[in-house]
Amino acid sequence: MGRKDASTSRTPVDQYRKQIGKQDYKKTRPMLRATRLKAEAKKTALGVKEVALVLVAILVFLLAFYAFFYLNVSNEVDLDLDPDEN
């Protein structure tokens, strides 16, 4: 019998959820579909942060590549110049 009394009294959270459920039920299907598609598009869209992060990663890679070959070539040029030749 104690359970029957406990189920009739609802917490404010349950009442709020029921009210929200009724409001969603009142919406039409196209409206719900549009809301769902909008939320999915927001999840899958690339943000500015992601694009900037990719660009920075590419620039760092190119800079490292350039620095490696620049230092490698500059060391070879120094080795070719022997001051003892003259």
Side-chain angles (χ1 to χ4, degrees), residues 29 31-41:
R29 277 193 171 156
M31 185 182 257
L32 290 172
R33 186 179 303 130
T35 305
R36 187 180 73 241
L37 290 175
K38 186 177 175 183
E40 287 176 3

Side-chain angles (χ1 to χ4, degrees), residues 2-61:
R3 287 186 172 180
K4 192 174 192 180
D5 293 335
S7 66
T8 57
S9 64
R10 290 198 171 125
T11 62
V13 175
D14 289 336
Q15 291 174 355
Y16 176 74
R17 287 179 182 163
K18 186 176 180 180
Q19 184 182 13
I20 295 296
K22 286 180 182 178
Q23 289 176 359
D24 279 345
Y25 184 72
K26 291 178 186 176
K27 293 180 181 176
T28 61
R29 277 193 171 156
M31 185 182 257
L32 290 172
R33 186 179 303 130
T35 305
R36 187 180 73 241
L37 290 175
K38 186 177 175 183
E40 287 176 3
K42 188 182 271 190
K43 280 184 182 178
T44 59
L46 287 178
V48 175
K49 287 182 181 180
E50 288 85 5
V51 172
L53 186 63
V54 169
L55 289 176
V56 167
I58 291 171
L59 288 175
V60 166
F61 176 74

